[in-house]
Amino acid sequence: MTEPDFDAEAYAREMARLVRLPIDAAHLPGVVQNLRLAARMAATIEGMAIPREREAAPVFIAGRRA
């Protein structure tokens, strides 16, 4: 799943400080919950074995028809 040393709350607070984005104390639990979810999703993708010969997905461009 996620890295055991990933501190989502510390990460949220530090990133908010760096980009000068105030996070209301009432919103912090939701931000932390979403960061933990994103970390679990990233770990799932990173754990997949994808062969080098696998082709990349096509690029989607809005408004174009194939």
Side-chain angles (χ1 to χ4, degrees):
M1 284 271 167
T2 60
E3 294 286 327
D5 59 343
F6 176 63
D7 185 344
E9 184 172 342
Y11 182 83
R13 290 180 185 277
E14 183 63 11
M15 291 301 109
R17 183 189 68 77
L18 288 172
V19 298
R20 296 183 180 146
L21 176 70
I23 298 178
D24 188 278
H27 297 148
L28 187 61
V31 172
V32 169
Q33 182 179 6
N34 279 294
L35 282 171
R36 287 182 180 145
L37 175 60
R40 286 196 310 270
M41 290 189 291
T44 298
I45 298 300
E46 289 176 348
M48 298 175 84
I50 301 172
R52 289 196 174 277
E53 61 274 1
R54 185 68 131 197
E55 289 187 34
V59 175
F60 173 77
I61 300 174
R64 268 200 184 164
R65 293 188 185 254

